[in-house]
Amino acid sequence: MQSRFLTLCLLFSLLLYTSAFSQNCNISITGFITDENTNKPLEFVNVYVQETLKGTATNEKGFFELKNVCKGKQHIVFSYISGENHNVFLDVLTDTVLYVEIHELNTVLESVVISEKQNNSTQNTQTLNHQHISDNSNQNLSNMLEEISGVSTLKNGNGISKPVVHGLYGNRLTILNNGIAQSGQQWGNDHAPEIDPLVANKIRVIKGVSSLEYQGSNLGSVILVEPARIEREPHLHGNTSYFFESNGRSNGINLQLEQYGSFVAWKINGTLKKSGDKKAADYFLNNTGSEEANIAIQLEKQFTENFFTDFYFSSFNTELGVLRGSHVGNLTDLENAFEREVPFFTEEDFSYDIDAPKQRVSHHLFKIHSKKYIAPKPKNKGKIIEQFLDFTFSTQINNRKEFDVRRSGRSEIPALNLKQYSYFSEIKCQKEFENNLIFKVGAQSTIIDNTNDPETGVLPLIPDYLSYETGVFTVLTKSINHWFFETGFRYQNTIQNAVTISRSIPREIVRFDNNFNNFGSSLGVNYQLSEHIQVSYNVGYATRNPAINELFSNGLHQGVSGIEEGNPNLNTEKSIKNTLSLSGKIKEKLSFETLLYYQNIDDYIYLNPENEVRLTIRGAFPVFKYKQTNAQIYGLDISSRYQFSKSVGLKASYSFIKGDDLSNDLPLINMPSNTLQASLRYQIQKPISIGATEKRRKLTNTQFEITNRYVFYQNNILEEQDFTLPPAAYNLISLRVSTNIQGQKTQWRVCAKVDNLLNTEYRDYLNRQRYFADDLGINIVLGARLEF
């Protein structure tokens, strides 16, 4: 009797479970997916429920339908062949309709470089997406940006580099770290931006004529490192990635966690990297290792529907070795070093040790930001223009220590010890008027306090100084049918109070009080020639006052192994830049973008190699001095992609640039070489099922790619303008394979690549290490990323 009762109970429970299951799993989720830029439907977007891997794909109208979805909390994943995954969290209660916009990444350059020509700017902009940043987590910020046409890298070895856009770098180029102009001791090409690119969701390069809205002393171009806002997801999510490099035996790991909590939304991002001696094709580059430890914390609080505040903190900390063979003891050895095929102090033993000469740098950023939305006004086709008030305050602390090879065991005492405090505040608002007229206005203030540690025992390269910058800007945009217009104005006042030490003996304290007024203005127009082709023209005027290092540098710049001397009589630079671009698609097969630019700069400031090498108690070094001339820089950037089929695509880019010293009828030094790059990619269209059942694992977005990069000989330079002739042209080949492994709760991304596949011996003109050694040899990189 008891066993019969138990049997009946089990049958009844099974009936209830079956009934409940059938009732709760008959929900339908339908929707439409469009490209966020063009509003066109996207075909072949994979849509699936993460908890069950039950999925479908969109048709030619961008429509999808998920049937038999269970009631409850579900994660819907949208995976596109040339885009990044887009996740939506739903508490499914009944049949649901979704309208989803995702970013199609193959607009011009497939999944690496995006050409964004949205109807809110006429400036030429290109972007690296999050997938590209993650796949290249072994690289620093500057090396990542080399993928973009018109962007080069000024280097001192492989670990120390800074970006060059259309021939301009350093103080002429503003880098925004989460909306804040990076304030550090960027005195030369050995001072890389202290930013961890892995905190960013995207990195944008504005190759414009006058970036009026952004603070800094730039002459047109801006780089924006932009972390994404925290997803409105109540569950804890994150990702972790790891990479290994054969060259330098480098290891790196990154971890990101985030949650949109009921009280506050939070995100934390941490990175650790360690590398040993790098290797050229035939020998080790001794003392070129590095260590890095970074963290970033992001908090957000949504007080009302139209008002939120966010807090951001980042800490970047690194120790970098400088090639030991670039520091020599006497004039004869220096002359020999310029001629040697293998640099001095080269040993065949690999080491993780970092000895003098080296750098130790830390950079901390604190930012608080609030935004108040004004009731938005609906636009045609459902578009909404943001109207807002915006306030930002930030503090940056930058500490740089440089260590020389010093006698009597003093190598661990820094020869340069600089600490810089920077305080920034900004208020801006945007308002929309009738007839598609949008007006933005803002005011900004920056205070910089830079001091030296007097216990170094060495006269400082850079003096103590205080700088006060105050700026205001306005930007006005208007669209009329197929036309879009943009214009604006910027005024900035800069006051510098510097305390220097005289170059003559006996040494004296010399004070300088400088007051500069800088102006900028621009006018741009964008015309839609057809549905797929548009043309843009921009002209801009900007001025830039001399930076502290250009005015007052005095002594050994250890990182670049050279003596640098400033000129306190330098004048303000005055620049006019023109750009003309044409971009579009032809029959969905060919996409392209071309950009012509011409920039004239009066009183252009440059660091000139003098016909002199100087012997000091710290060794023998070449001498460089800051000078001025009238200059012109012009060039052409071309980016294109041709899709032979849905699986096979070719992308190519070409950058031509030329700089002239007009006053002296000479070539302009330190201009990038012309480059030509092409990549052939094969992509498997359909997911590949692995494991015992189809639901266990799926390989998606599987790609194979071969890339050829040719760098031309820099023939626009004379022999007497530098200590050595420019190096020969070179050609590099690389291979890459990558795939996504989709599980029920997690997703893996695996990437393997080989750089300099043929182990080519080469030197790059913009690498100061070229005076002494070759660039990197073959490098195998393995990387994996887990999303959960």
Side-chain angles (χ1 to χ4, degrees):
M1 184 70 179
Q2 186 176 4
S3 61
R4 183 181 299 176
F5 176 76
L6 289 174
T7 303
L8 288 173
C9 287
L10 288 172
L11 289 173
F12 183 70
S13 300
L14 180 61
L15 181 63
L16 286 176
Y17 174 80
T18 305
S19 174
F21 184 83
S22 63
Q23 287 180 352
N24 290 336
C25 293
N26 60 359
I27 295 174
S28 175
I29 298 178
T30 59
F32 295 88
I33 300 179
T34 59
D35 180 77
E36 69 176 3
N37 284 337
T38 65
N39 290 322
K40 290 185 176 181
L42 293 178
E43 190 179 5
F44 304 119
V45 178
N46 294 312
V47 184
Y48 60 89
V49 180
Q50 189 179 67
E51 283 72 14
T52 64
L53 291 185
K54 184 180 298 182
T56 184
T58 57
N59 60 19
E60 68 278 1
K61 296 181 179 180
F63 175 79
F64 70 90
E65 182 178 13
L66 289 169
K67 298 180 179 179
N68 301 324
V69 178
C70 296
K71 185 176 181 180
K73 294 178 172 60
Q74 308 280 4
H75 294 81
I76 312 300
V77 180
F78 303 89
S79 176
Y80 192 42
I81 238 171
S82 57
E84 298 178 0
N85 283 0
H86 183 77
N87 300 337
V88 173
F89 172 75
L90 295 176
D91 189 356
V92 180
L93 301 175
T94 184
D95 291 348
T96 305
V97 179
L98 298 176
Y99 294 91
V100 181
E101 291 183 343
I102 64 178
H103 195 68
E104 186 184 6
L105 299 182
N106 66 353
T107 306
V108 167
L109 289 182
E110 180 253 329
S111 61
V112 175
V113 182
I114 312 163
S115 177
E116 298 184 17
K117 277 296 183 67
Q118 303 174 3
N119 290 328
N120 58 7
S121 177
T122 61
Q123 304 280 354
N124 183 277
T125 304
Q126 291 187 313
T127 306
L128 302 181
N129 64 46
H130 185 255
Q131 180 173 296
H132 177 78
I133 296 170
S134 177
D135 286 351
N136 294 274
S137 57
N138 61 303
Q139 296 182 342
N140 58 35
L141 173 65
S142 303
N143 292 342
M144 280 188 187
L145 291 171
E146 279 191 307
E147 293 283 350
I148 296 177
S149 61
V151 180
S152 307
T153 304
L154 192 67
K155 297 180 180 179
N156 187 51
N158 186 67
I160 305 173
S161 59
K162 61 189 354 172
V164 182
V165 182
H166 289 171
L168 302 183
Y169 58 91
N171 298 310
R172 298 187 186 93
L173 191 68
T174 296
I175 301 177
L176 294 182
N177 184 2
N178 196 9
I180 305 299
Q182 183 77 0
S183 181
Q185 287 112 1
Q186 302 296 325
W187 311 131
N189 63 339
D190 69 314
H191 296 180
E194 300 96 350
I195 299 176
D196 180 8
L198 299 182
V199 304
N201 185 62
K202 60 182 177 180
I203 303 172
R204 290 193 291 156
V205 178
I206 302 176
K207 298 187 291 185
V209 298
S210 185
S211 304
L212 305 174
E213 183 178 347
Y214 306 111
Q215 67 273 22
S217 55
N218 69 81
L219 292 184
S221 299
V222 174
I223 296 172
L224 298 93
V225 180
E226 301 177 317
R229 289 197 61 184
I230 301 170
E231 294 282 345
R232 288 181 171 268
E233 163 65 73
H235 300 116
L236 177 66
H237 285 281
N239 61 77
T240 184
S241 59
Y242 168 81
F243 76 83
F244 169 78
E245 284 185 290
S246 64
N247 197 330
R249 304 179 194 176
S250 309
N251 293 269
I253 188 169
N254 173 265
L255 174 65
Q256 178 177 301
L257 298 171
E258 67 175 279
Q259 184 177 22
Y260 202 92
S262 57
F263 176 72
V264 66
W266 61 271
K267 180 193 293 185
I268 186 169
N269 188 305
T271 302
L272 293 173
K273 293 182 180 181
K274 184 179 180 65
S275 174
D277 291 339
K278 299 292 185 179
K279 193 174 187 297
D282 297 320
Y283 51 84
F284 280 104
L285 302 169
N286 295 116
N287 199 50
T288 54
S290 63
E291 296 180 359
E292 195 172 306
N294 313 314
I295 190 170
I297 299 172
Q298 192 172 341
L299 303 175
E300 291 183 15
K301 177 66 175 178
Q302 189 86 30
F303 292 99
T304 67
E305 183 71 20
N306 293 324
F307 177 68
F308 76 92
T309 296
D310 60 88
F311 168 83
Y312 184 77
F313 165 76
S314 66
S315 179
F316 179 96
N317 306 273
T318 186
E319 187 170 25
L320 300 159
V322 177
L323 180 70
R324 181 64 182 90
S326 65
H327 282 234
V328 294
N330 56 63
L331 297 176
T332 301
D333 286 345
L334 180 60
E335 292 176 0
N336 291 336
F338 287 156
E339 301 295 332
R340 289 174 61 96
E341 292 187 4
V342 179
F344 287 116
F345 306 106
T346 296
E347 300 177 3
E348 290 303 316
D349 295 326
F350 170 85
S351 175
Y352 282 106
D353 294 339
I354 303 175
D355 299 317
K358 63 182 179 180
Q359 301 177 4
R360 190 176 297 154
V361 185
S362 62
H363 184 275
H364 313 294
L365 167 64
F366 305 83
K367 172 194 172 184
I368 186 167
H369 164 251
S370 292
K371 196 167 190 176
K372 169 68 175 177
Y373 289 97
I374 306 168
K377 181 182 295 184
K379 299 284 291 180
N380 294 333
K381 300 181 181 179
K383 293 294 183 181
I384 293 177
I385 296 295
E386 289 185 351
Q387 300 184 104
F388 58 80
L389 294 172
D390 192 288
F391 173 77
T392 301
F393 175 80
S394 72
T395 299
Q396 296 179 69
I397 303 173
N398 196 96
N399 184 220
R400 170 176 293 275
K401 296 180 180 179
E402 298 186 356
F403 299 82
D404 269 345
V405 179
R406 306 176 75 176
R407 298 182 178 90
S408 304
R410 295 183 299 137
S411 292
E412 283 304 311
I413 300 175
L416 179 71
N417 190 348
L418 287 165
K419 183 169 286 188
Q420 183 184 97
Y421 295 87
S422 175
Y423 309 94
F424 169 77
S425 59
E426 175 189 60
I427 185 168
K428 61 183 177 182
C429 67
Q430 179 170 289
K431 174 68 176 177
E432 181 192 7
F433 297 92
E434 298 296 333
N435 301 321
N436 300 314
L437 184 66
I438 301 171
F439 178 72
K440 183 184 288 188
V441 62
Q444 299 154 339
S445 175
T446 303
I447 301 174
I448 299 176
D449 182 2
N450 199 93
T451 58
N452 287 271
D453 184 344
E455 296 183 1
T456 60
V458 179
L459 290 177
L461 172 68
I462 304 296
D464 294 352
Y465 72 92
L466 278 170
S467 174
Y468 306 89
E469 298 178 2
T470 304
V472 294
F473 71 89
T474 62
V475 176
L476 189 69
T477 63
K478 183 176 177 59
S479 58
I480 305 174
N481 297 325
H482 297 293
W483 296 87
F484 181 80
F485 300 91
E486 180 180 34
T487 187
F489 175 82
R490 181 178 182 86
Y491 166 76
Q492 182 165 301
N493 174 258
T494 300
I495 298 174
Q496 298 172 346
N497 298 324
V499 181
T500 69
I501 300 176
S502 66
R503 299 175 187 176
S504 59
I505 298 176
R507 304 292 186 184
E508 298 178 346
I509 301 296
V510 182
R511 299 181 184 273
F512 290 88
D513 297 315
N514 297 327
N515 193 331
F516 300 101
N517 294 299
N518 294 319
F519 301 90
S521 62
S522 69
L523 175 65
V525 59
N526 181 24
Y527 180 67
Q528 196 76 30
L529 292 172
S530 66
E531 185 180 2
H532 298 292
I533 298 178
Q534 59 185 359
V535 60
S536 295
Y537 171 73
N538 279 267
V539 59
Y541 173 80
T543 64
R544 183 188 76 91
N545 58 266
I548 289 292
N549 61 309
E550 296 166 335
L551 293 167
F552 306 119
S553 289
N554 183 27
L556 174 63
H557 202 155
Q558 170 264 348
V560 295
S561 308
I563 294 172
E564 296 183 1
E565 295 182 358
N567 181 356
N569 298 314
L570 294 175
N571 299 317
T572 296
E573 291 181 333
K574 296 165 282 293
S575 164
I576 296 179
K577 185 177 182 181
N578 294 265
T579 65
L580 177 65
S581 66
L582 179 70
S583 61
K585 286 184 177 182
I586 300 177
K587 295 183 178 180
E588 301 298 326
K589 287 284 188 180
L590 175 66
S591 56
F592 64 91
E593 180 174 68
T594 61
L595 176 68
L596 281 165
Y597 59 92
Y598 175 83
Q599 188 164 15
N600 183 279
I601 307 176
D602 288 342
D603 292 320
Y604 174 83
I605 302 171
Y606 65 102
L607 187 62
N608 187 63
E610 299 293 301
N611 188 22
E612 177 187 358
V613 290
R614 189 175 299 172
L615 182 63
T616 72
I617 60 173
R618 299 163 71 182
F621 302 97
V623 178
F624 301 81
K625 292 183 179 181
Y626 284 100
K627 295 185 175 181
Q628 282 191 300
T629 188
N630 293 331
Q632 65 178 10
I633 302 172
Y634 55 93
L636 169 68
D637 298 336
I638 301 176
S639 305
S640 63
R641 179 182 63 87
Y642 187 79
Q643 201 68 29
F644 296 97
S645 66
K646 291 187 180 298
S647 297
V648 181
L650 174 70
K651 60 179 181 179
S653 63
Y654 173 68
S655 295
F656 167 84
I657 183 172
K658 190 172 187 294
D660 297 317
D661 179 342
L662 299 177
S663 299
N664 301 303
D665 194 23
L666 292 170
L668 206 58
I669 65 171
N670 290 331
M671 287 291 106
S673 302
N674 301 330
T675 58
L676 176 64
Q677 181 167 298
S679 298
L680 183 65
R681 184 210 64 194
Y682 174 76
Q683 181 156 339
I684 299 176
Q685 294 293 305
K686 295 182 179 180
I688 303 172
S689 299
I690 58 175
T693 65
E694 184 177 340
K695 289 186 177 181
R696 287 190 61 187
R697 291 287 187 271
K698 289 185 177 181
L699 299 184
T700 61
N701 202 20
T702 304
Q703 296 183 359
F704 303 87
E705 186 174 46
I706 181 169
T707 300
N708 188 90
R709 179 180 176 87
Y710 183 80
V711 179
F712 293 82
Y713 175 71
Q714 178 54 279
N715 56 10
N716 191 41
I717 197 77
L718 302 181
E719 182 177 358
E720 61 269 19
Q721 285 185 275
D722 207 344
F723 295 102
T724 63
L725 285 172
Y730 62 90
N731 189 80
L732 301 179
I733 297 175
S734 63
L735 295 176
R736 182 178 70 90
V737 59
S738 61
T739 189
N740 294 339
I741 306 175
Q742 182 61 54
Q744 187 169 351
K745 298 287 187 180
T746 60
Q747 175 177 279
W748 284 91
R749 174 150 180 95
V750 180
C751 183
K753 58 182 178 178
V754 184
D755 295 324
N756 194 1
L757 177 66
L758 303 181
N759 201 30
T760 301
E761 297 179 27
Y762 73 100
R763 300 189 183 195
D764 189 88
Y765 174 66
L766 286 188
N767 191 340
R768 275 284 286 270
Q769 184 179 282
R770 70 179 174 87
Y771 288 146
F772 308 101
D774 290 343
D775 223 305
L776 296 188
I778 187 171
N779 186 26
I780 301 172
V781 184
L782 304 175
R785 184 170 183 261
L786 172 65
E787 294 184 5
F788 53 88

